[in-house]
Amino acid sequence: MSEQTQSGERTAPRVVVVGAGMAGVQTAVALREQGFTGTVTLIGGEPHQPYDRPPLSKAVLLGKAEGSAFDVDFEALGIGLRLGCEVLGARPGDHELDTADGPVPYDVLVIATGAEPIRLPGTEGIPGVHLLRTLDDAERLRPVLAEQHDIVVVGAGWIGAEFATAAREAGCAVTVVEAADRPLAGALPPEVAAPMAGWYADSGAALRTHARVERVEPGAVVLDDGSRVPAGAVVVGIGARPATAWLA
Ligand SMILES: Cc1cc2nc3c(=O)[nH]c(=O)nc-3n(C[C@H](O)[C@H](O)[C@H](O)COP(=O)(O)OP(=O)(O)OC[C@H]3O[C@@H](n4cnc5c(N)ncnc54)[C@H](O)[C@@H]3O)c2cc1C
């Protein structure tokens, strides 16, 4: 990959990768592995060294691992890291990004901003309501598990299943509320998802299907049938959407 300048010489283009998750990191590493010699800059909105998310709902949550940083020597690979730097917009005509730290020029832009969790409407600002997407989220949830609260998990998807299992392992009482008639209803057909209901029972978590959240109050989740489920903490795992607002 090279580009011709006005003076006629060919230079390797500047690649800027936005998003320092699995996709962004692997793209930057693969460029180097395949011999790309131009500038590679990896921009991540989070302040942490780039990390893998799957351990967040397992070893990191349970305090069995401190973190899950990728085992990549970015400096040795000649990959420039700009962490804690949110990209606010792209101006393709100018080949420039706008970031919280000022403009960043690029020749080739890689968009790898992944996904952001969907929040439960009406829960903004209510204490004790958590998401599980980032290292910071996992670190906030560790003491919640240690205190062994009654926990309500909203959503019986993958995050809900993993968090419920970890919380049970930590000794918490866990109720999982799911609006659909079974776990993973949006992702898998019934014959595949059916055995997964057993995971909750096996772990000692109570699974309530056809249970839609009406509202969350401090200390309780109120369902649309009027029942109140005590909740020292609430973990919301109702899905994710592409993190592309910055491209709007
Ligand atoms: C708790 C948890 C457990 C999981 N467990 C598993 C598992 O066991 N198996 C499995 O296959 N998958 C699992 N996943 C899913 C897997 O982690 C994702 O598929 C994967 O993270 C996707 O990687 P990505 O790089 O595309 O996006 P992301 O991981 O979302 O990374 C995107 C990065 O871009 C950054 N970013 C976003 N917007 C901007 C911006 N405007 N400016 C700068 N930076 C920005 C974000 O901060 C983020 O670091 C799990 C996910 C979570 C949250």
Side-chain angles (χ1 to χ4, degrees):
M1 193 160 43
S2 67
E3 239 182 26
Q4 198 145 13
T5 62
Q6 280 177 339
S7 60
E9 63 188 76
R10 300 195 81 82
T11 58
R14 296 160 298 183
V15 175
V16 174
V17 182
V18 184
M22 173 66 90
V25 167
Q26 293 303 330
T27 303
V29 170
L31 281 166
R32 289 298 185 228
E33 284 176 350
Q34 294 183 29
F36 177 71
T37 55
T39 310
V40 179
T41 305
L42 185 58
I43 304 181
E46 294 175 60
H48 309 290
Q49 199 65 11
Y51 63 89
D52 201 13
R53 290 182 202 281
L56 298 185
S57 49
K58 308 165 184 85
V60 174
L61 188 61
L62 288 168
K64 295 176 182 169
E66 272 314 305
S68 54
F70 292 113
D71 186 14
V72 174
D73 188 340
F74 293 99
E75 199 178 341
L77 288 170
I79 296 167
L81 277 185
R82 296 183 67 161
L83 302 174
C85 176
E86 193 184 348
V87 177
L88 306 170
R91 283 176 284 109
D94 300 330
H95 275 222
E96 242 177 24
L97 298 173
D98 291 316
T99 80
D101 301 338
V104 176
Y106 64 85
D107 297 309
V108 176
L109 174 64
V110 178
I111 297 168
T113 43
E116 59 197 12
I118 297 173
R119 291 170 188 275
L120 191 63
T123 58
E124 290 82 2
I126 297 184
V129 178
H130 299 263
L131 298 165
L132 178 50
R133 178 80 198 168
T134 65
L135 183 56
D136 289 339
D137 292 335
E139 284 176 354
R140 272 190 289 270
L141 279 164
R142 269 192 200 173
V144 173
L145 294 193
E147 284 163 26
Q148 303 197 328
H149 286 296
D150 286 348
I151 297 181
V152 173
V153 177
V154 182
W158 293 116
I159 296 293
E162 292 201 335
F163 181 82
T165 311
R168 284 296 302 141
E169 200 179 320
C172 303
V174 180
T175 303
V176 181
V177 297
E178 166 58 55
D181 61 348
R182 61 181 188 276
L184 289 160
L188 296 172
E191 62 274 22
V192 180
M196 294 174 185
W199 293 352
Y200 292 94
D202 291 348
S203 73
L207 172 65
R208 294 182 63 168
T209 52
H210 299 287
R212 189 172 287 277
V213 175
E214 178 74 32
R215 64 183 182 278
V216 177
E217 297 172 348
V221 172
V222 181
L223 302 178
D224 64 353
D225 65 0
S227 58
R228 296 176 96 253
V229 188
V234 178
V235 176
V236 177
I238 56 173
R241 60 167 70 92
T244 49
W246 64 281
L247 290 165

